[in-house]
Amino acid sequence: RFSPSIQEKSTMGDFDTGICDCLSDMPTCCCTYWCWCIQIGNDSGALQGSEGMDVLWCAVACCCGFWGSCIGTMRNRSEVRRFMNYKEDKSNDRLCACCCLPCATCQEARVVKRNDIRKKIQAKATNV
């Protein structure tokens, strides 16, 4: 797991993109809308620093339907918050994941993509 050093930590905050900013990144929006389980797997893989998607979380989201997707999104949002040093807000994450699943998944995907989290975690792992 990635643990940011003091120099790498940002100020405590929240997601740098709004929950309804889906159309600001159309490819991510389309992938999330039509293939949400793949997006959840991609985000999970990026947050683990792997090259591809996390097949386990993709399968959980796909095979377990709505609730599996909610659990995967809540997990990913928690990991994004930890990595980006955002303020922890489990209640909000649960609410977003259960009531606005596509928007919440798209929001976390935009943060992962914009901040190039996969490469940062891979670089940190190779420097250890």
Side-chain angles (χ1 to χ4, degrees), residues 4 8-14 79-88:
E8 294 170 321
K9 287 187 178 184
S10 63
T11 58
M12 291 291 268
D14 207 349
E79 289 294 309
V80 166
R81 285 184 185 280
R82 187 182 60 75
F83 180 84
M84 297 298 294
N85 199 31
Y86 292 157
K87 183 178 77 175
E88 187 174 317

Side-chain angles (χ1 to χ4, degrees), residues 56-73:
L56 172 67
W57 279 104
C58 180
V60 166
C62 188
C63 296
C64 297
F66 176 76
W67 293 112
S69 298
C70 287
I71 292 168
T73 295

Side-chain angles (χ1 to χ4, degrees), residues 10-32:
S10 63
T11 58
M12 291 291 268
D14 207 349
F15 286 85
D16 59 358
T17 175
I19 191 84
C20 295
D21 288 344
C22 296
L23 300 179
S24 66
D25 181 356
M26 284 304 292
T28 301
C29 179
C30 290
C31 179
T32 303

Side-chain angles (χ1 to χ4, degrees), residues 31 35-43 53 58 61-62:
C31 179
C35 306
W36 75 92
C37 56
I38 291 173
Q39 188 64 59
I40 291 170
N42 280 335
D43 292 346
M53 77 172 161
C58 180
C62 188

